[in-house]
């Protein structure tokens, strides 16, 4: 599986790939439990799988919100997940100085949507020679993401993924323009649809982001139908008690049924 990441490129393979896991690393037992269940599902459905977990959450509405269990502790858990199940892992970074640190533990560095234009951050991630997954900003068109791709590739690192997570619609909602998937694929990079963050309802007066998880299946089906190379899904055994973004995460018990449907759609459009 990890060899796949060394040669990642735009492709029309037989199946989509999956980036999935909890929003944040809450503890070792939880991370291993989630990874084990998803590995069983993806092995069964022959879906290439990358485990996702944030070692730290930097973009929070309130200062009292959960941000993490400690950088090194969380990164070591991500490393253990990767080694235990022989799967690649992805985590997000927020500042240039974090790139080399995180790269020592994970296989893919993710650039958060709000930071996708930060040149120094993109270059630092690219310099690690890891795969770089750039989330499209809620404030940007799909076409403008070509500049993020160019910045990374100009360093000599051509391992780039772009992930759509919707566009700001008013003050407290997001909407997905599915025309963006084929447009970003034209940059000759794999394109992923973030099926959970695209359903967030940010800027709530409570300071806690809301969401519409009942529409995850709708977003995922549409993304596969228009040719998305991969899907990004945050999932948790009990979203109601998750320490971060529980309002828009998919319950882990629902993942296999959803992926089974999506594999059928993928086969139908090839």
């Amino acid at each position: 599986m990890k060899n796949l990441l060394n040669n990642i490129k735009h492709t029309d393979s037989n199946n989509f790939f999956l980036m999935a896991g909890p929003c944040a690393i809450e503890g070792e037992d939880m991370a291993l439990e989630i990874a084990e269940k998803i590995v069983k599902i993806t092995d069964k459905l022959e879906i290439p799988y990358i485990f996702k977990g944030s070692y730290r959450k930097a973009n929070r509405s309130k200062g009292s919100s959960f941000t993490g269990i400690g950088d090194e502790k969380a990164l070591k858990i991500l490393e253990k997940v990767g080694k235990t199940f022989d799967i690649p892992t992805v985590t997000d970074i927020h500042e240039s100085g974090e790139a080399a640190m995180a790269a020592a533990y994970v296989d893919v560095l993710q650039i958060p949507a709000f930071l996708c234009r930060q040149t120094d951050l993109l270059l630092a991630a690219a310099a690690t020679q890891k795969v770089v997954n750039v989330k499209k900003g809620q404030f940007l068109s799909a076409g403008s993401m070509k500049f993020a791709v160019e910045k990374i590739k100009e360093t000599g690192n051509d391992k780039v993924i772009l992930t759509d997570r919707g566009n700001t619609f008013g003050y407290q909602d997001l909407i997905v323009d599915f025309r963006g998937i084929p447009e970003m694929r034209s940059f000759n990079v794999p394109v992923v649809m973030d099926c959970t963050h695209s359903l967030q309802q940010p800027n709530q007066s409570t300071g806690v982001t809301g969401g519409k998880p009942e529409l995850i299946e709708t977003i995922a089906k549409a993304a596969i139908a228009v040719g998305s190379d991969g899907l990004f899904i945050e999932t948790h055994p009990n979203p109601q008690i998750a320490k971060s973004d529980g309002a828009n995460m998919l319950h882990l018990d629902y993942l296999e049924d959803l992926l089974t449907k999506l594999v059928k759609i993928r086969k139908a459009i090839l």
Side-chain angles (χ1 to χ4, degrees):
M1 176 66 73
K2 292 190 178 183
N3 290 333
L4 168 71
L5 297 178
N6 294 327
N7 301 291
I8 195 163
K9 58 185 178 180
H10 169 73
T11 179
D12 287 313
S13 62
N14 291 331
N15 218 342
F16 57 89
F17 64 93
L18 177 68
M19 305 172 78
C23 177
I25 297 298
E26 300 175 10
E28 181 176 308
D29 290 344
M30 181 212 67
L32 292 171
E33 174 192 353
I34 293 174
E36 182 177 17
K37 289 185 178 180
I38 300 179
V39 166
K40 288 180 180 178
I41 295 169
T42 53
D43 281 354
K44 176 181 176 181
L45 297 175
E46 299 183 338
I47 299 171
Y49 173 48
I50 303 168
F51 177 85
K52 183 270 168 186
S54 296
Y55 73 89
R56 173 157 48 88
K57 304 301 296 184
N59 178 20
R60 303 287 87 188
S61 296
K62 297 194 298 184
S64 59
S65 296
F66 174 81
T67 59
I69 60 174
D71 292 357
E72 186 176 12
K73 183 177 181 180
L75 285 167
K76 285 184 175 179
I77 290 172
L78 282 162
E79 182 180 48
K80 183 170 183 177
V81 168
K83 290 180 177 179
T84 299
F85 300 104
D86 191 27
I87 54 174
T89 55
V90 56
T91 197
D92 33 354
I93 59 173
H94 318 93
E95 297 180 6
S96 302
E98 299 175 21
M101 175 185 70
Y105 296 92
V106 301
D107 305 282
V108 183
L109 298 179
Q110 182 167 286
I111 309 300
F114 280 126
L115 302 177
C116 67
R117 284 169 49 95
Q118 297 296 104
T119 300
D120 288 350
L121 180 60
L122 291 170
L123 296 182
T128 67
Q129 291 301 310
K130 296 287 185 174
V131 179
V132 183
N133 178 36
V134 187
K135 291 278 196 80
K136 185 187 77 63
Q138 302 93 313
F139 45 86
L140 290 178
S141 68
S144 64
M145 290 303 292
K146 67 181 178 182
F147 302 114
V149 174
E150 289 173 356
K151 289 176 184 178
I152 294 168
K153 288 191 173 183
E154 284 171 359
T155 70
N157 184 347
D158 64 354
K159 300 188 287 291
V160 188
I161 302 171
L162 293 180
T163 295
D164 195 351
R165 48 101 75 237
N167 286 74
T168 300
F169 186 70
Y171 291 113
Q172 296 176 321
D173 209 353
L174 297 165
I175 191 167
V176 178
D177 181 354
F178 285 99
R179 297 175 299 177
I181 291 177
E183 183 170 7
M184 289 191 291
R185 290 184 88 231
S186 72
F187 307 149
N188 199 34
V189 297
V191 174
V192 172
M193 183 69 233
D194 184 338
C195 304
T196 46
H197 286 99
S198 59
L199 292 168
Q200 282 186 333
Q201 293 180 306
N203 306 319
Q204 300 295 311
S205 59
T206 60
V208 179
T209 298
K212 295 183 178 180
E214 66 275 11
L215 293 176
I216 292 172
E217 182 171 322
T218 300
I219 296 294
K221 285 179 174 178
I224 294 301
V226 299
S228 180
D229 298 288
L231 296 177
F232 180 105
I233 298 174
E234 288 190 340
T235 183
H236 194 281
N238 190 348
Q240 291 185 331
I241 64 170
K243 295 183 181 295
S244 178
D245 284 359
N248 55 268
M249 278 200 279
L250 180 72
H251 196 295
L252 187 57
D253 288 348
Y254 302 154
L255 184 62
E256 182 171 1
D257 179 66
L258 172 61
L259 293 177
T260 299
K261 293 175 182 176
L262 297 176
V263 168
K264 292 179 180 178
I265 295 173
R266 175 71 175 181
K267 290 178 179 178
I269 66 172
L270 289 180

